Amino acid sequence: MKDMDHNAHSVYLLYYHLVMVVKYRRKVLDDQISDRAKEIFEYIAPNYGIVLEEWNHDIDHVHVMFRAQPKTELSKFINVYKSASSRLIKKEYPKIREKLWKEAFWSQSFCLMSAGGAPIEVIRQYIESQGEKH
Protein backbone atom coordinates (compact mmCIF):
# COMPACT_ATOMS: atom_id res chain seq x y z
CA MET A 1 0.00 0.00 0.00
CA LYS A 2 1.67 3.10 -1.28
CA ASP A 3 2.04 6.15 0.98
CA MET A 4 0.69 4.32 4.02
CA ASP A 5 2.29 4.35 7.45
CA HIS A 6 2.82 1.02 9.16
CA ASN A 7 4.14 -0.76 12.20
CA ALA A 8 4.65 -4.45 12.95
CA HIS A 9 0.93 -5.23 13.04
CA SER A 10 -0.98 -2.67 11.00
CA VAL A 11 -1.10 -0.32 8.07
CA TYR A 12 -2.73 3.08 8.53
CA LEU A 13 -3.02 6.62 7.25
CA LEU A 14 -4.32 8.99 9.91
CA TYR A 15 -4.32 12.69 9.11
CA TYR A 16 -5.64 15.34 11.48
CA HIS A 17 -6.37 19.06 11.22
CA LEU A 18 -5.84 20.87 14.51
CA VAL A 19 -6.79 24.46 15.27
CA MET A 20 -5.42 26.05 18.45
CA VAL A 21 -6.56 29.52 19.48
CA VAL A 22 -4.70 32.05 21.61
CA LYS A 23 -6.54 32.67 24.91
CA TYR A 24 -9.24 35.33 24.46
CA ARG A 25 -8.17 35.51 20.81
CA ARG A 26 -5.37 37.90 21.74
CA LYS A 27 -3.63 39.06 18.58
CA VAL A 28 -0.09 38.01 19.49
CA LEU A 29 1.03 35.59 16.76
CA ASP A 30 3.54 36.94 14.28
CA ASP A 31 5.86 34.94 11.99
CA GLN A 32 8.62 34.72 14.60
CA ILE A 33 6.38 33.42 17.39
CA SER A 34 4.57 31.06 15.01
CA ASP A 35 7.91 29.67 13.80
CA ARG A 36 8.98 29.08 17.41
CA ALA A 37 5.67 27.38 18.22
CA LYS A 38 6.16 25.17 15.15
CA GLU A 39 9.72 24.25 16.27
CA ILE A 40 8.38 23.19 19.66
CA PHE A 41 5.68 21.09 17.94
CA GLU A 42 8.30 19.37 15.78
CA TYR A 43 10.46 18.68 18.84
CA ILE A 44 7.67 17.07 20.92
CA ALA A 45 5.74 15.32 18.11
CA PRO A 46 8.05 12.31 17.52
CA ASN A 47 7.64 11.24 21.17
CA TYR A 48 3.94 10.70 20.37
CA GLY A 49 4.31 9.15 16.91
CA ILE A 50 3.24 12.39 15.24
CA VAL A 51 4.62 13.87 12.03
CA LEU A 52 3.95 17.52 11.16
CA GLU A 53 2.69 17.98 7.60
CA GLU A 54 1.58 21.63 7.42
CA TRP A 55 1.62 24.65 9.73
CA ASN A 56 0.20 28.12 9.26
CA HIS A 57 -1.03 30.92 11.50
CA ASP A 58 -3.18 33.99 11.72
CA ILE A 59 -2.70 36.65 14.40
CA ASP A 60 -4.78 34.73 16.97
CA HIS A 61 -4.71 31.04 16.00
CA VAL A 62 -2.72 28.31 14.27
CA HIS A 63 -3.75 25.59 11.82
CA VAL A 64 -1.79 22.35 11.91
CA MET A 65 -2.07 19.24 9.74
CA PHE A 66 -0.29 16.17 11.07
CA ARG A 67 -0.15 12.40 10.75
CA ALA A 68 -0.43 10.14 13.78
CA GLN A 69 -0.33 6.46 14.72
CA PRO A 70 -3.32 4.44 15.95
CA LYS A 71 -1.79 4.31 19.45
CA THR A 72 -1.22 8.08 19.65
CA GLU A 73 -2.97 9.73 22.58
CA LEU A 74 -4.01 12.88 20.73
CA SER A 75 -5.48 14.90 23.60
CA LYS A 76 -2.49 14.06 25.82
CA PHE A 77 -0.08 15.22 23.11
CA ILE A 78 -2.04 18.44 22.48
CA ASN A 79 -2.09 19.29 26.19
CA VAL A 80 1.63 18.56 26.61
CA TYR A 81 2.37 20.66 23.53
CA LYS A 82 0.22 23.58 24.65
CA SER A 83 1.81 23.58 28.13
CA ALA A 84 5.38 23.42 26.85
CA SER A 85 4.92 25.95 24.06
CA SER A 86 3.07 28.36 26.33
CA ARG A 87 5.83 28.23 28.94
CA LEU A 88 8.67 28.60 26.40
CA ILE A 89 7.05 31.33 24.31
CA LYS A 90 6.27 33.47 27.38
CA LYS A 91 9.84 32.97 28.63
CA GLU A 92 11.50 33.73 25.27
CA TYR A 93 9.18 36.62 24.32
CA PRO A 94 8.48 38.41 27.63
CA LYS A 95 6.71 41.34 25.87
CA ILE A 96 3.90 38.92 24.96
CA ARG A 97 2.83 38.70 28.63
CA GLU A 98 1.46 42.26 28.44
CA LYS A 99 -1.16 41.11 25.94
CA LEU A 100 -2.18 37.93 27.78
CA TRP A 101 -4.66 37.47 30.60
CA LYS A 102 -3.59 35.55 33.70
CA GLU A 103 -0.51 34.11 32.02
CA ALA A 104 -2.43 31.72 29.75
CA PHE A 105 -1.20 31.61 26.16
CA TRP A 106 -3.49 29.04 24.49
CA SER A 107 -7.21 28.70 24.97
CA GLN A 108 -8.05 25.55 26.91
CA SER A 109 -10.20 24.30 24.04
CA PHE A 110 -9.06 23.21 20.59
CA CYS A 111 -10.61 21.93 17.38
CA LEU A 112 -9.40 18.56 16.07
CA MET A 113 -10.78 17.00 12.90
CA SER A 114 -9.82 13.86 11.08
CA ALA A 115 -8.73 14.66 7.55
CA GLY A 116 -7.48 13.15 4.34
CA GLY A 117 -8.52 10.34 2.10
CA ALA A 118 -11.90 10.00 0.49
CA PRO A 119 -14.94 12.04 1.52
CA ILE A 120 -17.17 10.35 4.12
CA GLU A 121 -19.97 9.77 1.61
CA VAL A 122 -17.62 7.91 -0.76
CA ILE A 123 -16.44 5.66 2.10
CA ARG A 124 -20.05 5.10 3.21
CA GLN A 125 -21.06 4.03 -0.32
CA TYR A 126 -18.00 1.76 -0.60
CA ILE A 127 -18.85 -0.01 2.68
CA GLU A 128 -22.53 -0.30 1.75
CA SER A 129 -21.61 -1.88 -1.60
CA GLN A 130 -19.39 -4.60 -0.10
CA GLY A 131 -20.74 -8.07 -0.69
CA GLU A 132 -22.93 -6.98 -3.61
CA LYS A 133 -22.51 -8.94 -6.79
CA HIS A 134 -21.79 -6.76 -9.80
Side-chain angles (χ1 to χ4, degrees):
M1 294 192 172
K2 190 175 155 241
D3 298 330
M4 295 286 210
D5 292 321
H6 57 86
N7 58 29
H9 304 288
S10 57
V11 177
Y12 51 89
L13 187 59
L14 301 172
Y15 277 93
Y16 295 93
H17 176 187
L18 171 66
V19 182
M20 292 178 291
V21 178
V22 175
K23 186 86 169 181
Y24 302 118
R25 288 222 177 239
R26 299 287 193 221
K27 296 168 176 34
V28 297
L29 288 172
D30 57 20
D31 289 346
Q32 188 178 19
I33 292 171
S34 174
D35 288 348
R36 183 61 179 123
K38 179 181 174 184
E39 281 176 11
I40 297 163
F41 190 100
E42 290 175 312
Y43 180 79
I44 295 172
N47 299 328
Y48 290 84
I50 287 174
V51 177
L52 177 65
E53 291 285 332
E54 292 289 334
W55 179 284
N56 209 340
H57 75 279
D58 203 336
I59 54 177
D60 62 358
H61 65 281
V62 297
H63 285 269
V64 186
M65 184 171 72
F66 64 88
R67 288 192 336 260
Q69 299 173 357
K71 68 178 183 183
T72 300
E73 296 178 84
L74 296 173
S75 60
K76 185 175 183 182
F77 163 74
I78 293 166
N79 288 327
V80 165
Y81 168 73
K82 288 190 336 186
S83 292
S85 59
S86 177
R87 187 177 62 256
L88 289 168
I89 288 168
K90 288 182 302 189
K91 180 181 171 194
E92 295 168 18
Y93 303 92
K95 286 287 278 179
I96 210 169
R97 291 173 178 268
E98 298 167 11
K99 298 180 179 177
L100 300 174
W101 178 255
K102 292 188 178 176
E103 298 294 301
F105 184 82
W106 297 110
S107 169
Q108 200 173 2
S109 58
F110 57 86
C111 176
L112 180 66
M113 298 163 278
S114 59
I120 297 299
E121 207 44 52
V122 171
I123 297 169
R124 185 186 315 278
Q125 289 170 1
Y126 173 78
I127 291 172
E128 287 174 355
S129 72
Q130 293 306 292
E132 292 178 3
K133 295 201 167 59
H134 295 286

mmCIF file of all heavy atoms in Angstrom, residues 28 31 33 37 43 54 69 101 114 120 127:
data_model
loop_
_atom_site.group_PDB
_atom_site.id
_atom_site.type_symbol
_atom_site.label_atom_id
_atom_site.label_comp_id
_atom_site.label_asym_id
_atom_site.label_seq_id
_atom_site.Cartn_x
_atom_site.Cartn_y
_atom_site.Cartn_z
ATOM 1 N N VAL A 28 -1.501 38.020 19.107
ATOM 2 C CA VAL A 28 -0.086 38.010 19.487
ATOM 3 C C VAL A 28 0.805 37.178 18.557
ATOM 4 O O VAL A 28 2.018 37.182 18.704
ATOM 5 C CB VAL A 28 0.104 37.503 20.932
ATOM 6 C CG1 VAL A 28 -0.572 38.436 21.926
ATOM 7 C CG2 VAL A 28 -0.402 36.080 21.092
ATOM 8 N N ASP A 31 5.098 36.021 12.621
ATOM 9 C CA ASP A 31 5.861 34.941 11.986
ATOM 10 C C ASP A 31 6.896 34.349 12.930
ATOM 11 O O ASP A 31 7.070 33.134 12.991
ATOM 12 C CB ASP A 31 6.555 35.446 10.715
ATOM 13 C CG ASP A 31 5.566 35.722 9.588
ATOM 14 O OD1 ASP A 31 4.395 35.285 9.674
ATOM 15 O OD2 ASP A 31 5.964 36.397 8.616
ATOM 16 N N ILE A 33 6.979 34.225 16.317
ATOM 17 C CA ILE A 33 6.380 33.419 17.394
ATOM 18 C C ILE A 33 5.766 32.146 16.823
ATOM 19 O O ILE A 33 5.901 31.068 17.395
ATOM 20 C CB ILE A 33 5.356 34.247 18.194
ATOM 21 C CG1 ILE A 33 6.112 35.340 18.969
ATOM 22 C CG2 ILE A 33 4.553 33.371 19.140
ATOM 23 C CD1 ILE A 33 5.229 36.376 19.627
ATOM 24 N N ALA A 37 6.697 28.346 17.814
ATOM 25 C CA ALA A 37 5.667 27.384 18.217
ATOM 26 C C ALA A 37 5.752 26.119 17.349
ATOM 27 O O ALA A 37 5.601 24.999 17.852
ATOM 28 C CB ALA A 37 4.288 28.020 18.108
ATOM 29 N N TYR A 43 9.593 19.297 17.841
ATOM 30 C CA TYR A 43 10.459 18.681 18.841
ATOM 31 C C TYR A 43 9.701 17.639 19.676
ATOM 32 O O TYR A 43 10.225 16.559 19.971
ATOM 33 C CB TYR A 43 11.048 19.763 19.756
ATOM 34 C CG TYR A 43 11.965 19.218 20.816
ATOM 35 C CD1 TYR A 43 13.277 18.862 20.506
ATOM 36 C CD2 TYR A 43 11.519 19.052 22.123
ATOM 37 C CE1 TYR A 43 14.122 18.351 21.478
ATOM 38 C CE2 TYR A 43 12.361 18.542 23.103
ATOM 39 C CZ TYR A 43 13.655 18.191 22.773
ATOM 40 O OH TYR A 43 14.482 17.682 23.741
ATOM 41 N N GLU A 54 1.772 20.229 7.791
ATOM 42 C CA GLU A 54 1.582 21.634 7.417
ATOM 43 C C GLU A 54 1.370 22.460 8.673
ATOM 44 O O GLU A 54 0.790 21.982 9.647
ATOM 45 C CB GLU A 54 0.357 21.818 6.524
ATOM 46 C CG GLU A 54 0.464 21.209 5.146
ATOM 47 C CD GLU A 54 1.419 21.949 4.234
ATOM 48 O OE1 GLU A 54 1.648 23.162 4.431
ATOM 49 O OE2 GLU A 54 1.967 21.300 3.325
ATOM 50 N N GLN A 69 -0.213 7.920 14.684
ATOM 51 C CA GLN A 69 -0.329 6.464 14.716
ATOM 52 C C GLN A 69 -1.605 6.084 15.461
ATOM 53 O O GLN A 69 -2.116 6.881 16.244
ATOM 54 C CB GLN A 69 0.883 5.866 15.438
ATOM 55 C CG GLN A 69 2.197 6.185 14.771
ATOM 56 C CD GLN A 69 3.392 5.724 15.587
ATOM 57 O OE1 GLN A 69 3.263 5.198 16.704
ATOM 58 N NE2 GLN A 69 4.578 5.927 15.051
ATOM 59 N N TRP A 101 -3.864 37.345 29.387
ATOM 60 C CA TRP A 101 -4.658 37.471 30.596
ATOM 61 C C TRP A 101 -4.329 36.298 31.508
ATOM 62 O O TRP A 101 -4.436 35.147 31.093
ATOM 63 C CB TRP A 101 -6.133 37.470 30.228
ATOM 64 C CG TRP A 101 -7.057 37.550 31.390
ATOM 65 C CD1 TRP A 101 -7.792 36.527 31.910
ATOM 66 C CD2 TRP A 101 -7.362 38.705 32.171
ATOM 67 N NE1 TRP A 101 -8.528 36.973 32.971
ATOM 68 C CE2 TRP A 101 -8.286 38.316 33.154
ATOM 69 C CE3 TRP A 101 -6.939 40.031 32.149
ATOM 70 C CZ2 TRP A 101 -8.799 39.198 34.093
ATOM 71 C CZ3 TRP A 101 -7.453 40.902 33.083
ATOM 72 C CH2 TRP A 101 -8.375 40.481 34.035
ATOM 73 N N SER A 114 -10.535 14.811 11.924
ATOM 74 C CA SER A 114 -9.818 13.856 11.082
ATOM 75 C C SER A 114 -9.854 14.394 9.661
ATOM 76 O O SER A 114 -10.778 15.106 9.273
ATOM 77 C CB SER A 114 -10.468 12.468 11.167
ATOM 78 O OG SER A 114 -11.812 12.521 10.767
ATOM 79 N N ILE A 120 -16.384 11.299 3.318
ATOM 80 C CA ILE A 120 -17.175 10.349 4.117
ATOM 81 C C ILE A 120 -18.221 9.636 3.270
ATOM 82 O O ILE A 120 -18.412 8.432 3.386
ATOM 83 C CB ILE A 120 -17.854 11.078 5.307
ATOM 84 C CG1 ILE A 120 -16.802 11.661 6.251
ATOM 85 C CG2 ILE A 120 -18.806 10.155 6.047
ATOM 86 C CD1 ILE A 120 -15.878 10.661 6.886
ATOM 87 N N ILE A 127 -18.529 0.993 1.659
ATOM 88 C CA ILE A 127 -18.845 -0.014 2.680
ATOM 89 C C ILE A 127 -20.205 -0.627 2.400
ATOM 90 O O ILE A 127 -20.381 -1.842 2.487
ATOM 91 C CB ILE A 127 -18.782 0.619 4.097
ATOM 92 C CG1 ILE A 127 -17.324 0.958 4.427
ATOM 93 C CG2 ILE A 127 -19.371 -0.325 5.152
ATOM 94 C CD1 ILE A 127 -17.140 1.765 5.705
#
